[in-house]
Amino acid sequence: MHLLKAFLRSAAYERRFLAKNQWDLAMVLWIPLATVLLVWWIFSQTQINDLPIGVVDQDNGPIANTLVRYLEASPELTVYQHYHSPADVEAAILQRDVYAVVIIPEDFSRNISSSKSAPVVLQVNAQYGTHSGIIQTSVQAVVGTLSAGVEIQRLVKQGMAPSQAAINYSPIAIQRTSLFNAINNYQQFLASTVIPALLHILAMVIGATTIGRELRDKQLGRWSRFIHIGTPDLTLDNYNGQYKNNNVEHTNSIRKASLSVLFVGLLGKYFWPILAYSVWSALALWLATPQQSVDTVSLFITYMSLVLLMTLSFWLGAVFTLGSFSLRMGLSATGFISVPSYAFAGVTYPYIAITDSAKYWADALPLTHYLQLHIAQLQMQAPVAVSLPIVYGLLLATIIALILMVVLTKRALAHPERWGAR
């Protein structure tokens, strides 16, 4: 009963603070909600289509015109404009009117008719990696299709049957089958993984500030006393951080705070952020799953793992702050760890291709393991047993971080002379 009262007191303490501090409340409610919806809206166009390219047609022959029509017909490309000079091409690329230029050289049609080499030049602005990759693949497919048609037509004119001409041109057929994300859905590939990464960052910031402001404002002892015995009265708005009965006995009672009471007190203090981020986690997964059929068990495992990641993020933010006795240092540590974590998670850059030292760092980040589970369960539809070790690992890390946070809180209560650091 005593522990339940400590939990309820701590939750009430935090609720009162959030009600009076709109910025902290926004970090718990409105900012993560806006983040989830904004990222999903940004990737609302699930595929990249109609990338603008320019054409420099120095031939103007029938086959060159056919190539331009094929480029325009490609769903990923659109011919923005025909250019006639290198200066116009350069200006268009610098102004981002186009992302690439296809140059059709002189005598293109004549060389093809004479069975001579007829290269097509593609100049791409590789500064935009995604755009340039899609354009190169699409232009290569268009040129390959045109080349196959020209060769088959030449063989047919020589008297070969159309079916035999097609076989002779390409005796080995290639069939490409994409196992996962077959339609190149960027909402499924990027948005569904970016959202947990951003929530992870926000959760670590909240974890650092929730306990860090008590240290910064020298209110940690007040919070500890309140969850233990229910005083001071939280209805006193003019409380200045000093106790009326600030004697040696009172100081010793704070320093001898029970670990079990601190344990449930910290759970109560972080109850509202955990509850809110559990809702945002459910929203993120709900947005990520309607486009595909996901097994209920896989969805449940993914949701529980995301909640564990959020909870672990809160604890880690608190651990860094309590360990340094400084909110500023705690926020710096959370930023150093959480902000670049997505780059090491193996989503946009293959995990297998990074250096060994980078792999060590990636393996130490909880986001890396969660996203592996996320992709396996929601996109690859892997068996649940494959991801269970990650679930156990996140659970163990969360428990260890919670215990460490309790111990560090008790240590912080024993050193009130270090309170007040920025």
Side-chain angles (χ1 to χ4, degrees), residues 2-3 5-7 9-10 223-224 226-229 257-268 406:
H2 179 58
L3 295 180
K5 287 183 179 180
F7 175 85
R9 287 168 183 162
S10 186
W223 168 79
S224 174
F226 179 73
I227 66 173
H228 275 81
I229 59 177
S258 168
L259 285 175
S260 59
V261 173
L262 289 178
F263 181 88
V264 297
L266 288 168
L267 290 179
V406 174

mmCIF file of all heavy atoms in Angstrom, residues 2-3 5-7 9-10 223-224 226-229 257-268 406:
data_model
loop_
_atom_site.group_PDB
_atom_site.id
_atom_site.type_symbol
_atom_site.label_atom_id
_atom_site.label_comp_id
_atom_site.label_asym_id
_atom_site.label_seq_id
_atom_site.Cartn_x
_atom_site.Cartn_y
_atom_site.Cartn_z
ATOM 1 N N HIS A 2 1.951 1.214 0.771
ATOM 2 C CA HIS A 2 2.851 2.358 0.827
ATOM 3 C C HIS A 2 3.475 2.633 -0.543
ATOM 4 O O HIS A 2 3.603 3.789 -0.965
ATOM 5 C CB HIS A 2 3.927 2.098 1.874
ATOM 6 C CG HIS A 2 4.928 3.214 1.981
ATOM 7 N ND1 HIS A 2 4.579 4.515 2.285
ATOM 8 C CD2 HIS A 2 6.285 3.216 1.813
ATOM 9 C CE1 HIS A 2 5.661 5.277 2.307
ATOM 10 N NE2 HIS A 2 6.703 4.503 2.031
ATOM 11 N N LEU A 3 3.857 1.560 -1.273
ATOM 12 C CA LEU A 3 4.448 1.725 -2.592
ATOM 13 C C LEU A 3 3.433 2.262 -3.595
ATOM 14 O O LEU A 3 3.770 3.083 -4.453
ATOM 15 C CB LEU A 3 5.021 0.386 -3.078
ATOM 16 C CG LEU A 3 6.192 -0.175 -2.276
ATOM 17 C CD1 LEU A 3 6.657 -1.499 -2.851
ATOM 18 C CD2 LEU A 3 7.349 0.815 -2.225
ATOM 19 N N LYS A 5 0.939 4.234 -2.896
ATOM 20 C CA LYS A 5 0.790 5.658 -2.604
ATOM 21 C C LYS A 5 1.963 6.458 -3.181
ATOM 22 O O LYS A 5 1.770 7.562 -3.705
ATOM 23 C CB LYS A 5 0.702 5.880 -1.089
ATOM 24 C CG LYS A 5 -0.614 5.444 -0.485
ATOM 25 C CD LYS A 5 -0.639 5.761 0.997
ATOM 26 C CE LYS A 5 -1.974 5.363 1.621
ATOM 27 N NZ LYS A 5 -2.013 5.659 3.077
ATOM 28 N N ALA A 6 3.171 5.902 -3.091
ATOM 29 C CA ALA A 6 4.337 6.595 -3.648
ATOM 30 C C ALA A 6 4.196 6.748 -5.156
ATOM 31 O O ALA A 6 4.524 7.798 -5.716
ATOM 32 C CB ALA A 6 5.604 5.821 -3.297
ATOM 33 N N PHE A 7 3.713 5.709 -5.815
ATOM 34 C CA PHE A 7 3.504 5.776 -7.266
ATOM 35 C C PHE A 7 2.472 6.839 -7.612
ATOM 36 O O PHE A 7 2.689 7.675 -8.503
ATOM 37 C CB PHE A 7 3.053 4.410 -7.788
ATOM 38 C CG PHE A 7 2.691 4.402 -9.241
ATOM 39 C CD1 PHE A 7 3.657 4.227 -10.214
ATOM 40 C CD2 PHE A 7 1.373 4.579 -9.643
ATOM 41 C CE1 PHE A 7 3.320 4.232 -11.559
ATOM 42 C CE2 PHE A 7 1.026 4.586 -10.980
ATOM 43 C CZ PHE A 7 2.004 4.410 -11.946
ATOM 44 N N ARG A 9 1.459 9.416 -5.816
ATOM 45 C CA ARG A 9 1.954 10.747 -5.489
ATOM 46 C C ARG A 9 2.898 11.268 -6.567
ATOM 47 O O ARG A 9 2.831 12.423 -6.983
ATOM 48 C CB ARG A 9 2.661 10.727 -4.134
ATOM 49 C CG ARG A 9 1.743 10.589 -2.933
ATOM 50 C CD ARG A 9 2.553 10.297 -1.692
ATOM 51 N NE ARG A 9 1.723 10.083 -0.505
ATOM 52 C CZ ARG A 9 2.132 9.500 0.599
ATOM 53 N NH1 ARG A 9 3.398 9.070 0.688
ATOM 54 N NH2 ARG A 9 1.318 9.332 1.624
ATOM 55 N N SER A 10 3.796 10.391 -7.011
ATOM 56 C CA SER A 10 4.758 10.808 -8.032
ATOM 57 C C SER A 10 4.051 11.141 -9.342
ATOM 58 O O SER A 10 4.394 12.119 -10.013
ATOM 59 C CB SER A 10 5.795 9.703 -8.252
ATOM 60 O OG SER A 10 6.808 10.131 -9.136
ATOM 61 N N TRP A 223 10.798 16.392 -4.309
ATOM 62 C CA TRP A 223 10.079 15.282 -4.949
ATOM 63 C C TRP A 223 10.203 14.008 -4.122
ATOM 64 O O TRP A 223 9.216 13.291 -3.913
ATOM 65 C CB TRP A 223 10.630 15.074 -6.359
ATOM 66 C CG TRP A 223 10.173 13.795 -6.991
ATOM 67 C CD1 TRP A 223 8.964 13.559 -7.560
ATOM 68 C CD2 TRP A 223 10.915 12.578 -7.099
ATOM 69 N NE1 TRP A 223 8.898 12.257 -8.024
ATOM 70 C CE2 TRP A 223 10.078 11.641 -7.762
ATOM 71 C CE3 TRP A 223 12.199 12.177 -6.709
ATOM 72 C CZ2 TRP A 223 10.501 10.338 -8.036
ATOM 73 C CZ3 TRP A 223 12.617 10.889 -6.983
ATOM 74 C CH2 TRP A 223 11.769 9.977 -7.634
ATOM 75 N N SER A 224 11.424 13.724 -3.624
ATOM 76 C CA SER A 224 11.633 12.514 -2.833
ATOM 77 C C SER A 224 10.813 12.549 -1.554
ATOM 78 O O SER A 224 10.188 11.554 -1.170
ATOM 79 C CB SER A 224 13.123 12.359 -2.508
ATOM 80 O OG SER A 224 13.344 11.277 -1.641
ATOM 81 N N PHE A 226 8.080 14.188 -1.022
ATOM 82 C CA PHE A 226 6.654 14.118 -1.324
ATOM 83 C C PHE A 226 6.204 12.679 -1.592
ATOM 84 O O PHE A 226 5.145 12.256 -1.120
ATOM 85 C CB PHE A 226 6.330 15.003 -2.527
ATOM 86 C CG PHE A 226 4.879 14.971 -2.911
ATOM 87 C CD1 PHE A 226 3.926 15.607 -2.135
ATOM 88 C CD2 PHE A 226 4.460 14.283 -4.034
ATOM 89 C CE1 PHE A 226 2.582 15.571 -2.478
ATOM 90 C CE2 PHE A 226 3.126 14.238 -4.397
ATOM 91 C CZ PHE A 226 2.181 14.891 -3.613
ATOM 92 N N ILE A 227 6.996 11.926 -2.360
ATOM 93 C CA ILE A 227 6.569 10.557 -2.655
ATOM 94 C C ILE A 227 6.690 9.648 -1.429
ATOM 95 O O ILE A 227 6.014 8.621 -1.344
ATOM 96 C CB ILE A 227 7.361 9.952 -3.834
ATOM 97 C CG1 ILE A 227 8.846 9.778 -3.470
ATOM 98 C CG2 ILE A 227 7.175 10.788 -5.077
ATOM 99 C CD1 ILE A 227 9.647 9.043 -4.518
ATOM 100 N N HIS A 228 7.547 10.043 -0.456
ATOM 101 C CA HIS A 228 7.694 9.233 0.760
ATOM 102 C C HIS A 228 6.584 9.509 1.764
ATOM 103 O O HIS A 228 5.974 8.579 2.301
ATOM 104 C CB HIS A 228 9.063 9.486 1.410
ATOM 105 C CG HIS A 228 10.169 8.656 0.840
ATOM 106 N ND1 HIS A 228 10.803 8.990 -0.334
ATOM 107 C CD2 HIS A 228 10.752 7.493 1.270
ATOM 108 C CE1 HIS A 228 11.733 8.079 -0.595
ATOM 109 N NE2 HIS A 228 11.721 7.166 0.352
ATOM 110 N N ILE A 229 6.324 10.779 2.042
ATOM 111 C CA ILE A 229 5.395 11.108 3.138
ATOM 112 C C ILE A 229 4.290 12.070 2.716
ATOM 113 O O ILE A 229 3.459 12.452 3.543
ATOM 114 C CB ILE A 229 6.158 11.686 4.343
ATOM 115 C CG1 ILE A 229 6.920 12.960 3.943
ATOM 116 C CG2 ILE A 229 7.105 10.661 4.918
ATOM 117 C CD1 ILE A 229 7.632 13.622 5.102
ATOM 118 N N ALA A 257 16.520 7.542 1.593
ATOM 119 C CA ALA A 257 15.314 7.195 0.839
ATOM 120 C C ALA A 257 15.350 5.728 0.433
ATOM 121 O O ALA A 257 16.378 5.194 0.019
ATOM 122 C CB ALA A 257 15.206 8.079 -0.398
ATOM 123 N N SER A 258 14.206 5.090 0.558
ATOM 124 C CA SER A 258 14.096 3.667 0.240
ATOM 125 C C SER A 258 14.225 3.441 -1.264
ATOM 126 O O SER A 258 13.631 4.167 -2.069
ATOM 127 C CB SER A 258 12.749 3.140 0.734
ATOM 128 O OG SER A 258 12.494 1.856 0.220
ATOM 129 N N LEU A 259 15.003 2.418 -1.642
ATOM 130 C CA LEU A 259 15.152 2.085 -3.063
ATOM 131 C C LEU A 259 13.829 1.655 -3.671
ATOM 132 O O LEU A 259 13.529 1.981 -4.820
ATOM 133 C CB LEU A 259 16.201 0.988 -3.237
ATOM 134 C CG LEU A 259 17.665 1.401 -3.083
ATOM 135 C CD1 LEU A 259 18.570 0.177 -3.165
ATOM 136 C CD2 LEU A 259 18.050 2.421 -4.154
ATOM 137 N N SER A 260 13.028 0.914 -2.916
ATOM 138 C CA SER A 260 11.745 0.458 -3.451
ATOM 139 C C SER A 260 10.804 1.624 -3.691
ATOM 140 O O SER A 260 10.091 1.673 -4.708
ATOM 141 C CB SER A 260 11.100 -0.546 -2.482
ATOM 142 O OG SER A 260 10.892 0.038 -1.207
ATOM 143 N N VAL A 261 10.811 2.604 -2.786
ATOM 144 C CA VAL A 261 9.964 3.783 -2.979
ATOM 145 C C VAL A 261 10.462 4.608 -4.153
ATOM 146 O O VAL A 261 9.674 5.113 -4.962
ATOM 147 C CB VAL A 261 9.913 4.624 -1.687
ATOM 148 C CG1 VAL A 261 9.168 5.934 -1.930
ATOM 149 C CG2 VAL A 261 9.248 3.842 -0.577
ATOM 150 N N LEU A 262 11.775 4.758 -4.270
ATOM 151 C CA LEU A 262 12.323 5.463 -5.424
ATOM 152 C C LEU A 262 11.982 4.741 -6.728
ATOM 153 O O LEU A 262 11.703 5.381 -7.756
ATOM 154 C CB LEU A 262 13.841 5.601 -5.280
ATOM 155 C CG LEU A 262 14.355 6.575 -4.219
ATOM 156 C CD1 LEU A 262 15.880 6.549 -4.184
ATOM 157 C CD2 LEU A 262 13.855 7.983 -4.492
ATOM 158 N N PHE A 263 11.983 3.426 -6.687
ATOM 159 C CA PHE A 263 11.666 2.621 -7.874
ATOM 160 C C PHE A 263 10.255 2.934 -8.374
ATOM 161 O O PHE A 263 10.059 3.296 -9.538
ATOM 162 C CB PHE A 263 11.800 1.139 -7.520
ATOM 163 C CG PHE A 263 11.516 0.205 -8.653
ATOM 164 C CD1 PHE A 263 12.518 -0.169 -9.532
ATOM 165 C CD2 PHE A 263 10.244 -0.304 -8.835
ATOM 166 C CE1 PHE A 263 12.248 -1.033 -10.580
ATOM 167 C CE2 PHE A 263 9.961 -1.167 -9.870
ATOM 168 C CZ PHE A 263 10.970 -1.533 -10.749
ATOM 169 N N VAL A 264 9.284 2.814 -7.483
ATOM 170 C CA VAL A 264 7.905 3.081 -7.907
ATOM 171 C C VAL A 264 7.684 4.575 -8.137
ATOM 172 O O VAL A 264 6.856 4.971 -8.968
ATOM 173 C CB VAL A 264 6.900 2.521 -6.881
ATOM 174 C CG1 VAL A 264 7.010 1.012 -6.794
ATOM 175 C CG2 VAL A 264 7.073 3.161 -5.517
ATOM 176 N N GLY A 265 8.423 5.408 -7.395
ATOM 177 C CA GLY A 265 8.300 6.844 -7.606
ATOM 178 C C GLY A 265 8.757 7.265 -8.994
ATOM 179 O O GLY A 265 8.112 8.100 -9.653
ATOM 180 N N LEU A 266 9.842 6.693 -9.462
ATOM 181 C CA LEU A 266 10.314 6.991 -10.814
ATOM 182 C C LEU A 266 9.351 6.450 -11.868
ATOM 183 O O LEU A 266 9.138 7.088 -12.912
ATOM 184 C CB LEU A 266 11.713 6.412 -11.016
ATOM 185 C CG LEU A 266 12.837 7.144 -10.265
ATOM 186 C CD1 LEU A 266 14.120 6.330 -10.298
ATOM 187 C CD2 LEU A 266 13.066 8.534 -10.871
ATOM 188 N N LEU A 267 8.776 5.288 -11.605
ATOM 189 C CA LEU A 267 7.755 4.772 -12.524
ATOM 190 C C LEU A 267 6.567 5.728 -12.597
ATOM 191 O O LEU A 267 6.021 5.970 -13.682
ATOM 192 C CB LEU A 267 7.290 3.388 -12.076
ATOM 193 C CG LEU A 267 8.288 2.235 -12.228
ATOM 194 C CD1 LEU A 267 7.676 0.941 -11.702
ATOM 195 C CD2 LEU A 267 8.702 2.064 -13.684
ATOM 196 N N GLY A 268 6.167 6.279 -11.454
ATOM 197 C CA GLY A 268 5.075 7.241 -11.458
ATOM 198 C C GLY A 268 5.449 8.540 -12.143
ATOM 199 O O GLY A 268 4.623 9.145 -12.833
ATOM 200 N N VAL A 406 17.491 4.041 -10.706
ATOM 201 C CA VAL A 406 17.117 4.098 -9.287
ATOM 202 C C VAL A 406 18.353 4.304 -8.411
ATOM 203 O O VAL A 406 18.363 5.138 -7.491
ATOM 204 C CB VAL A 406 16.370 2.811 -8.887
ATOM 205 C CG1 VAL A 406 16.122 2.794 -7.382
ATOM 206 C CG2 VAL A 406 15.053 2.708 -9.640
#
